[in-house]
Amino acid sequence: MVGSTGIFERLGDEAAGRFVTQLTTALAKTFEEHNGRVVKLLGDGLFVVFPAEGDAMEACVAIQKRLQERPVYPGGEGKAVQMQMGIEAGEVVEIDGDCYGDAVNSAARLADLAGAEQILTTQRVREQLVPEQKEQLRALGPMYLRGKNEATHVFRVEWQTGQDADQTVMGVSMSKVVKSSQLELSALGQSLRLLPQGEKLTLGRATTASLSINDARVSRVHATIEWRSGHFVLSDNSSFGTWVYMGNQSEPVILRRTECYLVGQGQIALGCGRDAETAPIVAFSVKA
């Protein structure tokens, strides 16, 4: 569930806990109608296993459509409930009623990475889908999920007909990015601004970089940021990678010679995660 912390803050622990339990119990029934088996409730989410990848995708789409057509409002007011979902395929080991395995971890990472009303999945799932379902997938490219050494090819399920296909991984509509947008960067007392059609910016250890950061983990030309096709695009060119944290998402998008859109606000950690000691971090903000 997106923003569950805010629900608990607004309603209080008892009322919010009751609401979340009722909601997840109702959603569990929908999963079961699509051959899913709810392994456990996760407080503000569910962990479900399916006999087939297609069943999992159909169930997730059914949930999203249900919440879109019949919005649920915590406490009868405020913002409607939204879900973020991840689907992965692979071997699962069941021990004492719980399930373990690489597929379980990957599904959780994908759910963390997804934005509101989004369903993310992988190439392994795509390979098992029927042609009609494959047509619903939009490739987001290779991404490094936490705990995995190799890139995972990630896809987004396009379940909303008539919706602008250009949405970011983090759930912010790219149609909101307009020509008057600007990107602001700041680090170590330095500030930069990039306007649409402006010159490409460079982040790196080199003194000639647009934003120079003297740290051994930062490559000379570590990353570049440019305005491309209506979006601000961050490209990693480094030896150690770039960690991008969007909004309040705790899980980063890890770039290694790959790229991603920058939307909203967040942090860019160069050469390591932001939790590393004295991590070289660049704050960013996209403003209209």
Side-chain angles (χ1 to χ4, degrees):
M1 183 186 302
V2 177
S4 60
T5 301
I7 295 174
F8 276 84
E9 291 176 349
R10 183 166 63 85
L11 300 182
D13 290 347
E14 183 177 350
R18 186 166 55 250
F19 167 78
V20 170
T21 299
Q22 292 173 345
L23 177 66
T24 53
T25 300
L27 297 183
K29 294 179 180 179
T30 301
F31 283 122
E32 291 168 352
E33 290 170 358
H34 291 82
N35 301 318
R37 178 169 63 87
V38 178
V39 177
K40 60 182 176 182
L41 302 181
L42 304 172
D44 60 352
L46 304 94
F47 171 35
V48 189
V49 294
F50 294 84
E53 292 80 359
D55 291 337
M57 181 168 152
E58 285 185 3
C60 288
V61 169
I63 292 287
Q64 297 289 20
K65 287 184 176 180
R66 172 182 173 179
L67 292 175
Q68 183 185 66
E69 295 166 359
R70 291 177 285 166
V72 177
Y73 298 91
E77 59 182 12
K79 188 175 181 180
V81 167
Q82 296 174 308
M83 301 296 290
Q84 53 195 101
M85 301 176 168
I87 307 171
E88 177 61 301
E91 183 178 355
V92 173
V93 178
E94 185 167 353
I95 302 175
D96 295 331
D98 204 348
C99 294
Y100 304 87
D102 181 64
V104 177
N105 296 332
S106 293
R109 301 288 177 254
L110 290 166
D112 289 338
L113 186 62
E117 300 184 330
Q118 287 192 342
I119 307 167
L120 297 186
T121 189
T122 67
Q123 179 66 30
R124 285 199 290 186
V125 173
R126 183 182 184 278
E127 291 172 353
Q128 303 303 318
L129 299 177
V130 298
E132 292 78 7
Q133 290 179 316
K134 289 180 179 179
E135 291 176 0
Q136 291 182 263
L137 302 185
R138 174 181 171 84
L140 298 178
M143 298 183 185
Y144 281 84
L145 305 180
R146 193 179 73 177
K148 298 181 73 68
N149 295 323
E150 297 183 355
T152 299
H153 287 270
V154 178
F155 296 82
R156 185 177 62 242
V157 180
E158 299 290 354
W159 62 271
Q160 301 184 75
T161 57
Q163 185 88 348
D164 186 348
D166 264 334
Q167 277 190 314
T168 70
V169 174
M170 310 315 290
V172 180
S173 174
M174 296 306 291
S175 62
K176 296 179 182 178
V177 179
V178 295
K179 291 185 177 180
S180 60
S181 294
Q182 62 182 24
L183 172 68
E184 296 181 357
L185 302 171
S186 60
L188 303 175
Q190 307 173 74
S191 296
L192 284 178
R193 179 178 298 172
L194 177 62
L195 299 175
Q197 314 306 329
E199 292 290 329
K200 179 187 296 186
L201 299 181
T202 56
L203 311 178
R205 196 174 70 250
T207 56
T208 55
S210 306
L211 192 60
S212 181
I213 300 177
N214 186 18
D215 187 288
R217 293 163 289 191
V218 179
S219 298
R220 287 183 55 79
V221 181
H222 194 100
T224 61
I225 303 175
E226 63 182 320
W227 175 266
R228 189 197 311 157
S229 301
H231 314 299
F232 293 108
V233 181
L234 170 68
S235 301
D236 172 73
N237 308 305
S238 70
S239 300
F240 300 117
T242 301
W243 281 247
V244 184
Y245 299 85
M246 305 280 193
N248 295 322
Q249 296 283 340
S250 59
E251 296 295 332
V253 176
I254 304 178
L255 307 177
R256 290 191 172 94
R257 307 288 173 156
T258 52
E259 60 186 31
C260 72
Y261 292 135
L262 294 179
V263 292
Q265 59 184 9
Q267 295 177 316
I268 303 168
L270 306 177
C272 60
R274 66 182 176 186
D275 296 330
E277 185 176 357
T278 64
I281 295 175
V282 178
F284 73 86
S285 178
V286 177
K287 300 179 179 179

